[in-house]
Amino acid sequence: MQVSRRSFFRRIGAGAVATAAIPALDSFALARGLAFTRAKQPGGPILLDRNENAYGPSPKVIAAIRDAAGSFNRYPRSTEEMEERLAHLHGVQRDQVVLTCGSGEVLRMAAEAFLGPGKKLVEPVPTFEALGKHAKNAGAEVVEVPLTKTYAHDLPAMLRNADAATGLVYICNPNNPTGSLTPREEIEDFLRKVPAGTHALIDEAYHHYVGASSSYASFLDRPVSDPRVIVARTFSKIYGLAGLRVGYAVAAPEVARKLAEERLPVGVNILGMQAASVVLDDTEHVRETAERSRNDRQEFMNQANDRMLRAIDSHANFVLLESGRRVDEVLEFFKKNSIILGRRIPSMEKYVRVSLGTPDEMSEFWRVWDMFLPHKM
Ligand SMILES: Cc1ncc(COP(=O)(O)O)c(C=O)c1O
C-alpha cells in the first residue's frame, strides 16, 4: 500500500468490498447474542487503542464457551491437549510448544529464562514495549536500536550491539507500532551471525494480517534449523480472543522446557483453551477477518491520503499516522470525543497509532479528526 493519491474508482472499490462482498458479520453476531464481543461497549468510547479484532471472534466460540461453563469450578488440568493440537498445526513435536496466558507471557518467560543482571537485550525502537520492561525487571541492560528509514529492524546495527552478554534479541514482525515488515532474508542472515549464546525471540502477533509479500514468511510456516529461535504467537488478534488470554511459544525442546519453567503454574484458563481450540478450526473466519482488515487498511490509507496525511505502510491491524501535533494533544482531543487511541511513542512524538475499527467506528474517527485538524481540500 502506498500513501499516493488513489483514484476515486479504486476507493469506491475498496469500500464496496468492505461492505458488500464480505458477509455482514455485525448482524450475524448480533443475531447470536454476540454484541459483547465488539470492542465498543454500548455507550462506551470507541476503542482504537490496543489492536484488538474489532469484529469479534468466530461465532462458534460462544457455543464452545457455553459447553465449558459447567467446569469452572475446576482448575485447568493440563495444557497438553492444546499444545498437541498446535504442534500438529505447525508440524513440530508437542514438547516444542508452550501454551501461555497471552503471548505477553512468552515475552516475560523469555526475559526470565535468558536475561538477568550482566545480560543484555537488543531490540528495535520503537517496538512493543513489554519485553524491554521485563528485561529491566530481570536486571538486564536494554539496548534499543532505531528502526531504519523504511521502518524495518536495523539488523546490521542490532548485530553490532550484540555480544557474548546478549541473552536475547527481539524481532517483532510485523512490528508494533509501525506495522512494518523486516525482510525475511535479512532476518535469516542476522540469525546466522548473532553470537552463539544469544536467543532470538520472533514475535508474530500480527502474522495473519500480512498479505502476500515476497519479503515475509513466518518462522513457523518456514522454520530455520536454529535451536535458538523462539516464535511467539497469540490468539488475541486475528482470532479475536484478547480477553481470554491465550498465546504460545514454539521453540526447540530444550528451549521450550526452559521457557515452561517460568510459566505461571496454572495460568491458562479453561475458557481460553476451549475457545482457542474452536477458533483454530474456523479457518474461514480467519480468512474473512484478514480480508476485512486489508480493506479497512486500504480505506484508512485512502482517507489519510485525501487529507494529505503521512501514514506508515502497515501490514497489521493498525496504522501509525503522523499528526503533525504533539500526540498528547491528539489523544486528549479524541478522548474528549469518546475515542481512545494508542499510547504515546516516545521516539515518534508526532505520530499516533490507530487500531483499525469497524467501518462505522472509522467514519467516526475521521469525523473527529476533521474537527481536530480541519480537512483542507
Ligand atoms: C507485538 C505484540 N506482541 C505481543 C502482544 C501481547 O499480546 P497478548 O498477550 O494479548 O497475546 C502484543 C499485544 O498487543 C503485541 O502487540
Side-chain angles (χ1 to χ4, degrees):
M1 261 187 300
Q2 292 289 315
V3 193
S4 60
R5 185 157 291 278
R6 286 195 161 70
S7 76
F8 175 69
F9 290 107
R10 186 141 175 217
R11 220 150 43 82
I12 291 295
V17 172
T19 53
I22 298 166
L25 248 176
D26 291 347
S27 52
F28 186 57
L30 281 166
R32 286 164 170 72
L34 282 173
F36 67 88
T37 62
R38 294 277 313 280
K40 183 184 186 311
Q41 301 300 318
I46 293 175
L47 302 175
L48 304 180
D49 58 338
R50 296 187 70 178
N51 306 341
E52 293 145 335
N53 175 343
Y55 296 105
S58 152
K60 293 176 184 157
V61 163
I62 297 301
I65 286 184
R66 261 193 226 109
D67 289 349
S71 46
F72 295 168
N73 55 321
R74 302 292 180 189
Y75 288 109
R77 284 307 194 259
S78 164
T79 53
E80 277 181 26
E81 201 180 311
M82 250 329 270
E83 287 164 347
E84 186 76 60
R85 287 209 50 197
L86 289 164
H88 182 72
L89 176 72
H90 296 303
V92 297
Q93 300 300 313
R94 211 223 27 90
D95 62 358
Q96 294 184 252
V97 181
V98 187
L99 195 73
T100 54
C101 198
S103 59
E105 193 183 13
V106 177
L107 306 189
R108 181 189 56 73
M109 286 161 26
E112 286 173 12
F114 301 111
L115 297 171
K119 291 280 186 187
K120 235 164 59 170
L121 164 72
V122 178
E123 66 170 4
V125 66
T127 194
F128 186 58
E129 289 176 337
L131 182 61
K133 286 184 184 152
H134 293 308
K136 284 182 190 150
N137 288 343
E141 182 194 347
V142 177
V143 180
E144 295 181 331
V145 178
L147 298 174
T148 65
K149 285 196 176 72
T150 58
Y151 306 101
H153 292 43
D154 189 342
L155 295 172
M158 286 175 71
L159 196 60
R160 285 196 294 279
N161 281 282
D163 56 24
T166 307
L168 207 54
V169 289
Y170 183 49
I171 296 173
C172 187
N173 200 33
N175 187 47
N176 178 7
T178 48
S180 45
L181 291 179
T182 298
R184 164 80 187 209
E185 321 82 74
E186 288 180 23
I187 302 176
E188 283 186 25
D189 188 49
F190 172 76
L191 292 174
R192 280 193 289 271
K193 295 177 183 156
V194 100
T198 304
H199 287 80
L201 177 43
I202 304 185
D203 188 333
E204 296 188 352
Y206 299 97
H207 157 76
H208 294 92
Y209 294 100
V210 184
S213 164
S214 55
S215 70
Y216 177 83
S218 158
F219 278 80
L220 292 183
D221 297 345
R222 188 143 55 86
V224 284
S225 67
D226 184 335
R228 302 167 306 160
V229 171
I230 303 161
V231 181
R233 284 278 186 98
T234 182
F235 284 89
S236 300
K237 306 299 176 184
I238 202 125
Y239 293 117
L241 301 183
L244 290 177
R245 316 300 305 123
V246 194
Y248 58 100
V250 178
E254 179 61 12
V255 173
R257 196 187 52 71
K258 275 201 179 129
L259 289 172
E261 279 170 14
E262 308 298 337
R263 178 167 61 174
L264 278 175
V266 197
V268 191
N269 69 80
I270 290 176
L271 270 188
M273 281 195 273
Q274 186 80 359
S277 152
V278 169
V279 294
L280 267 190
D281 283 335
D282 200 348
T283 49
E284 185 52 21
H285 181 259
V286 170
R287 197 196 58 71
E288 263 174 17
T289 310
E291 192 175 334
R292 272 191 163 211
S293 185
R294 276 195 289 279
N295 291 325
D296 293 344
R297 221 155 56 190
Q298 180 67 64
E299 180 57 19
F300 187 94
M301 297 306 260
N302 294 338
Q303 293 289 342
N305 188 44
D306 281 352
R307 291 164 175 80
M308 308 292 189
L309 295 171
R310 186 175 140 68
I312 296 177
D313 194 11
S314 171
H315 298 264
N317 63 342
F318 54 85
V319 180
L320 198 57
L321 181 67
E322 187 172 23
S323 69
R325 299 282 183 97
R326 279 192 31 249
V327 75
D328 295 343
E329 275 176 53
V330 185
L331 299 185
E332 194 50 36
F333 185 83
F334 273 83
K335 194 170 165 198
K336 279 197 189 120
N337 286 281
S338 235
I339 298 180
I340 311 296
L341 299 177
R343 67 184 164 86
R344 239 186 94 228
I345 302 153
S347 57
M348 295 179 85
E349 268 297 339
K350 293 196 169 163
Y351 281 77
V352 61
R353 193 193 65 191
V354 186
S355 304
L356 298 172
T358 61
D360 284 355
E361 289 171 338
M362 297 319 290
S363 299
E364 180 61 8
F365 168 85
W366 288 114
R367 192 188 69 79
V368 172
W369 183 276
D370 290 338
M371 288 188 333
F372 180 61
L373 285 177
H375 186 172
K376 299 185 213 101
M377 281 294 287

